Amino acid sequence: MPQLTSRRGLLFGTAAVSAGALLTGCTSNASKDEAPASAGQSAADDKPGKHVTIGFAGPQADHGWLNAINDNAQSRAKKYTDVTLEVTEGSNDTATQIGQIETLINKKVDALVVLPADGKALTQVGLKAMRAGIPVINLDRIFNTPQAYRCWIGGDNYGMGLNAGHYIGEKLKGKANARVVELAGLDNLELTKQRTQGFDDALKNYPNIKKVARQAADFTVESGQAKMAQLLQAQPKFDALWNHDDDQGVGALRAIDQAGRDGFLMVGGAGALSAFQAIKQGNGVLQATVLYPPTMAASAIDLARALVQGKGVGGLAEYEIPASITVYSAVVDKTNVDTYMSAGFR
């Protein structure tokens, strides 16, 4: 899962528009062979344009979300007859990933989409690509300097916590002395701290609610089950649970079932298909999940294609594609789960 800078001041709500949906017109910085389209002209559409070879490098898909990142990038590239996607074998070893990206640079791809295993460690290879004239779309885990990428697109960890907190707050605002618990991710990751901070900030708006316990897991089914069992043993009664990650949430739900506990609502995180299905069934404690959408990888492919072809982002007046795009952490519950079901990852 990602480590990135957070965006503050996110408004609470459940509606969202995919970043990829914006990439349907207007203009951007042109390639050497193609001048920018006129302002307002539909340019970044499905019509074939200049052929684009995009290099895609990501970490090892050892988590449902990361596997969905790879699937979204490859599926999006197949949509375009004018795109060839050069995909590296994912690796969590930074030296290996750097070597893979250098190979793509040597192949002189037109653009790079990179989700680094470690943003800090891979900053230099991002700089190398940019200096070679290959624009980099930095996906989610951010490099140390904006000089290493042309555009960053990623999720909003602070916003995940903020929207989870507001959702729970609204559900419990009429209940006196409400108690909530939190099943976090890895505490040594900045993203975990940001999610917790957003959650805590949201709960400040609800003086009737107190967070009584927090347990950190590590984004796996096994850790989710073990840490949730500890929370349940330590807390005989609470009204709501926020779990940072739907993969570890599978284990958390197992522990809840094994303990025979109910009488509280659970909000998940990320947007796994299993979570959507449980929410739709509506017969358990899981009532909502807060998205960290892997569709950002598909949007990254759109951005790379538009960048090379001199196209831009529909609905914006600027000739250039943005320097950064933060995707929205929508809340998905029974009222809108059908809308998002097809985007759920396994």
Side-chain angles (χ1 to χ4, degrees):
M1 294 289 286
Q3 76 235 14
L4 54 134
T5 54
S6 63
R7 182 186 63 172
R8 305 287 172 142
L10 184 68
L11 294 177
F12 167 61
T14 58
V17 178
S18 166
L22 294 172
L23 299 169
T24 55
C26 240
T27 54
S28 181
N29 60 319
S31 69
K32 296 178 182 177
D33 303 320
E34 192 171 340
S38 301
Q41 177 181 339
S42 179
D45 53 25
D46 291 347
K47 294 178 182 178
K50 173 184 175 179
H51 188 270
V52 179
T53 299
I54 301 171
F56 177 78
Q60 182 180 348
D62 55 3
H63 183 277
W65 184 88
L66 287 170
N67 188 61
I69 283 285
N70 292 340
D71 288 346
N72 271 271
Q74 294 180 52
S75 297
R76 194 64 153 205
K78 289 176 182 177
K79 171 183 174 183
Y80 299 115
T81 60
D82 54 8
V83 169
T84 297
L85 192 66
E86 294 269 358
V87 182
T88 67
E89 184 178 351
S91 176
N92 290 329
D93 179 76
T94 56
T96 299
Q97 196 178 20
I98 288 169
Q100 293 169 341
I101 296 169
E102 288 178 335
T103 297
L104 293 171
I105 294 171
N106 292 334
K107 286 184 176 181
K108 301 185 188 310
V109 296
D110 297 307
L112 277 167
V113 174
V114 179
L115 199 166
D118 183 319
K120 180 180 179 180
L122 269 77
T123 296
Q124 288 302 314
V125 78
L127 286 166
K128 182 176 182 178
M130 291 289 287
R131 288 166 181 162
I134 300 173
V136 176
I137 306 298
N138 182 192
L139 180 58
D140 202 47
R141 299 176 185 173
I142 196 164
F143 293 136
N144 271 10
T145 172
Q147 295 183 76
Y149 59 88
R150 167 57 183 82
C151 176
W152 173 83
I153 178 170
D156 189 344
N157 288 294
Y158 179 85
M160 281 186 75
L162 192 70
N163 284 356
H166 276 299
Y167 184 85
I168 289 172
E170 290 299 304
K171 291 292 184 180
L172 299 180
K173 66 181 180 180
K175 183 177 181 61
N177 301 315
R179 297 160 59 89
V180 303
V181 297
E182 179 182 7
L183 185 64
L186 281 162
D187 264 343
N188 64 342
L189 296 180
E190 185 63 25
L191 74 91
T192 301
K193 299 172 186 176
Q194 292 167 355
R195 292 180 186 185
T196 292
Q197 185 64 57
F199 187 62
D200 290 346
D201 286 352
L203 293 183
K204 291 175 184 176
N205 295 285
Y206 305 94
N208 64 306
I209 299 175
K210 180 180 180 181
K211 187 169 77 172
V212 296
R214 179 184 183 276
Q215 184 68 258
D218 61 4
F219 296 128
T220 68
V221 173
E222 294 75 18
S223 67
Q225 184 170 353
K227 298 301 183 179
M228 190 68 229
Q230 293 176 22
L231 268 177
L232 291 167
Q233 187 173 13
Q235 300 296 325
K237 186 179 186 307
F238 55 87
D239 302 292
L241 158 69
W242 182 44
N243 162 55
H244 284 207
D245 176 72
D246 286 332
D247 271 13
Q248 71 183 24
V250 172
L253 287 169
R254 286 179 186 171
I256 291 165
D257 288 343
Q258 289 173 359
R261 294 283 292 271
D262 55 18
F264 61 91
L265 70 96
M266 175 177 171
V267 176
L273 179 61
S274 61
F276 290 164
Q277 291 170 337
I279 291 165
K280 185 175 176 65
Q281 290 171 2
N283 56 5
V285 297
L286 183 59
Q287 294 188 18
T289 190
V290 187
L291 297 188
Y292 200 88
T295 51
M296 65 179 75
S299 296
I301 298 300
D302 286 344
L303 286 163
R305 174 177 179 262
L307 189 61
V308 176
Q309 293 182 344
K311 300 172 182 178
V313 177
L316 299 180
E318 288 74 21
Y319 286 101
E320 310 293 331
I321 69 167
S324 65
I325 298 174
T326 304
V327 298
Y328 183 64
S329 293
V331 177
V332 177
D333 64 7
K334 200 165 186 178
T335 66
N336 62 352
V337 66
D338 287 337
T339 301
Y340 293 93
M341 190 69 74
S342 63
F345 61 85
R346 297 181 184 275

